[in-house]
Amino acid sequence: KEIIMNKENLLTEISKMSEDKRENLAYNTSNVEILNILADDESMFVREDVARNKNTPVTILTKLAKDRYQYIRCSVATNKNTPPETLTHLAEDEANDVRIAVAESKNTPAETLILLAKDENGGVRWVVAENINTPPEILALLAKDEKGYVRRAVAKNINTPAETFALLAKDENGNIRWAVAKNINTPPEILAQLAEDEDNGVRRAVAENENSPVELLSVLAQDEKGYVRWAVAKNINTPPEILAQLAEDEDNGVRRAVAKNENSPVELLSVLAQDEDIYVRKAVAENKNAPTETLALLAKDEKGYVRWAVAKKINTPVDVLEKLAKDKNKMVSEVAEEALKDRKEKSRANIER
């Protein structure tokens, strides 16, 4: 409970508290007088909770930024109330963890991020590369970093400029090219380059990218690797004509992805409802666009797992559910009975309104 009393009695009352209670108070109070007192507490854990408190004012955070314990200075750096000038001061802290926390903060000014981009610690540079507020020119600098994980962070940053993507798309490290291929802001011409990459994972990333042009998806739909074609099949922007092509793929996983794709036209779902693979048929049953006649067909499927999927579907017709409620498979019948019960309750509620 919050302490409400005269200023002169606060120190006395707080001194009677256990450390656990002081920690709890330090983290939750919005009383500035209490925070001032606890900022000088002998326990580093209490002071750390003051530094973490979202209500702690700038004056106290600035004071705690000079605390001898790095964990407290870290907490100051992560506090959303910490002003830019304090973060700039902490950017020169001797502890790596503190500088990392500064590099991660959304309040850190650009000029401070520029300083941290040259930090001797790779972890600090990595976090700068991840920060969406890092200026494009600094991302370009970090794209040439000796550490692969720093360059990969640049490749994943949504604010990375096109010319930097072009550089990273040629990186010898496949994981970095993969990150470029995954980035939603990678320009189409660079995605086209990566669609021909020797690394299967890179081509798959291009196939998964929702911004990949249709012409690239068309090429990747014929890739030698099944999981590249699978990625095209699951891409929400893959057009119906390519999905139709993939619906005849020899790989069960590819056809399954087509059956799950909400862009698959109803005619295609009707065809896949008769697929030899049980999981393809189940995926059709679970697709929200599966027409009622297809659900009725799948309700007669030889596999209980498929019939169960139909019974769970929110738009399965009542007459189909009534048949499934009598299914010999208990798992199917119980789900269908529960679905019918829910429908009746909802119908009753609508009538009463």
Side-chain angles (χ1 to χ4, degrees):
K1 293 182 179 179
E2 185 67 86
I3 298 175
I4 302 175
M5 60 178 61
N6 294 329
K7 179 179 177 180
E8 54 268 22
N9 295 326
L10 284 175
L11 189 55
T12 301
E13 289 300 315
I14 290 174
S15 66
K16 297 177 183 177
M17 290 181 174
S18 66
E19 184 172 332
D20 284 346
K21 286 186 177 180
R22 297 200 313 279
E23 284 181 39
N24 182 61
L25 182 61
Y27 185 71
N28 293 296
T29 186
S30 59
N31 187 308
V32 176
E33 290 297 338
I34 294 175
L35 288 168
N36 263 312
I37 292 171
L38 294 176
D40 290 323
D41 198 276
E42 64 182 356
S43 167
M44 64 169 284
F45 300 109
V46 173
R47 300 198 305 279
E48 183 178 9
D49 280 323
V50 173
R52 293 169 58 216
N53 190 319
K54 64 181 181 180
N55 299 309
T56 299
V58 169
T59 52
I60 297 176
L61 290 171
T62 301
K63 174 183 177 180
L64 290 172
K66 300 172 184 176
D67 197 282
R68 67 181 181 275
Y69 289 105
Q70 70 180 66
Y71 303 108
I72 295 172
R73 302 195 302 275
C74 266
S75 294
V76 172
T78 59
N79 194 306
K80 293 180 180 180
N81 295 332
T82 300
E85 55 271 21
T86 301
L87 290 168
T88 298
H89 163 73
L90 290 170
E92 298 180 0
D93 198 280
E94 62 182 9
N96 294 337
D97 288 346
V98 175
R99 301 197 307 280
I100 287 173
V102 174
E104 200 170 18
S105 174
K106 290 183 172 60
N107 291 339
T108 300
E111 56 270 21
T112 302
L113 291 173
I114 292 172
L115 172 69
L116 291 170
K118 301 172 184 176
D119 198 279
E120 62 180 13
N121 182 272
V124 175
R125 302 195 305 276
W126 171 58
V127 177
V128 174
E130 284 191 320
N131 194 317
I132 60 172
N133 293 327
T134 297
E137 62 272 18
I138 297 306
L139 291 173
L141 172 68
L142 292 169
K144 300 174 183 177
D145 198 277
E146 64 176 345
K147 300 293 185 182
Y149 57 83
V150 175
R151 303 197 304 277
R152 181 177 177 180
V154 176
K156 293 172 70 175
N157 195 311
I158 60 173
N159 288 330
T160 294
E163 56 271 19
T164 302
F165 278 133
L167 173 68
L168 293 169
K170 298 175 183 177
D171 199 286
E172 62 181 12
N173 188 320
N175 287 329
I176 293 166
R177 302 196 305 277
W178 172 88
V180 175
K182 289 279 287 185
N183 197 308
I184 59 171
N185 286 336
T186 298
E189 62 273 16
I190 295 176
L191 290 174
Q193 174 189 328
L194 293 170
E196 299 177 355
D197 198 279
E198 62 181 11
D199 189 303
N200 303 330
V202 174
R203 299 198 307 279
R204 172 178 165 173
V206 175
E208 288 178 317
N209 194 316
E210 293 183 3
N211 285 337
S212 286
V214 171
E215 54 269 25
L216 284 187
L217 295 176
S218 179
V219 170
L220 292 168
Q222 301 173 54
D223 197 276
E224 64 178 346
K225 294 297 181 180
Y227 56 76
V228 175
R229 303 194 303 276
W230 167 84
V232 176
K234 72 188 264 299
N235 193 316
I236 195 65
N237 290 326
T238 298
E241 59 270 22
I242 296 178
L243 290 172
Q245 172 192 328
L246 292 169
E248 299 178 0
D249 199 278
E250 64 181 1
D251 189 304
N252 294 345
V254 175
R255 300 197 308 278
R256 203 174 304 154
V258 175
K260 287 182 177 181
N261 196 313
E262 293 180 1
N263 265 359
S264 291
V266 292
E267 315 86 65
L268 199 54
L269 293 176
S270 297
V271 172
L272 290 170
Q274 302 174 61
D275 195 277
E276 63 182 17
D277 184 83
I278 174 179
Y279 296 107
V280 173
R281 303 196 303 274
K282 177 177 176 289
V284 173
E286 292 173 332
N287 192 310
K288 71 174 187 178
N289 296 325
T292 54
E293 55 269 25
T294 298
L295 292 174
L297 172 68
L298 291 169
K300 302 173 185 176
D301 197 277
E302 64 176 341
K303 298 296 183 180
Y305 203 25
V306 176
R307 302 196 304 276
W308 172 81
V310 175
K312 282 182 67 69
K313 197 76 180 293
I314 60 172
N315 62 334
T316 296
V318 171
D319 61 318
V320 174
L321 285 176
E322 288 173 343
K323 291 176 183 177
L324 290 172
K326 301 174 184 176
D327 198 281
K328 60 184 179 181
N329 186 313
K330 189 176 181 182
M331 178 181 73
V332 176
S333 61
E334 286 181 350
V335 170
E337 287 172 0
E338 189 63 31
L340 285 170
K341 181 181 176 182
D342 288 345
R343 298 276 182 94
K344 289 178 181 177
E345 289 178 355
K346 288 178 181 178
S347 177
R348 190 181 304 117
N350 288 333
I351 293 173
E352 290 176 353
R353 286 176 192 168

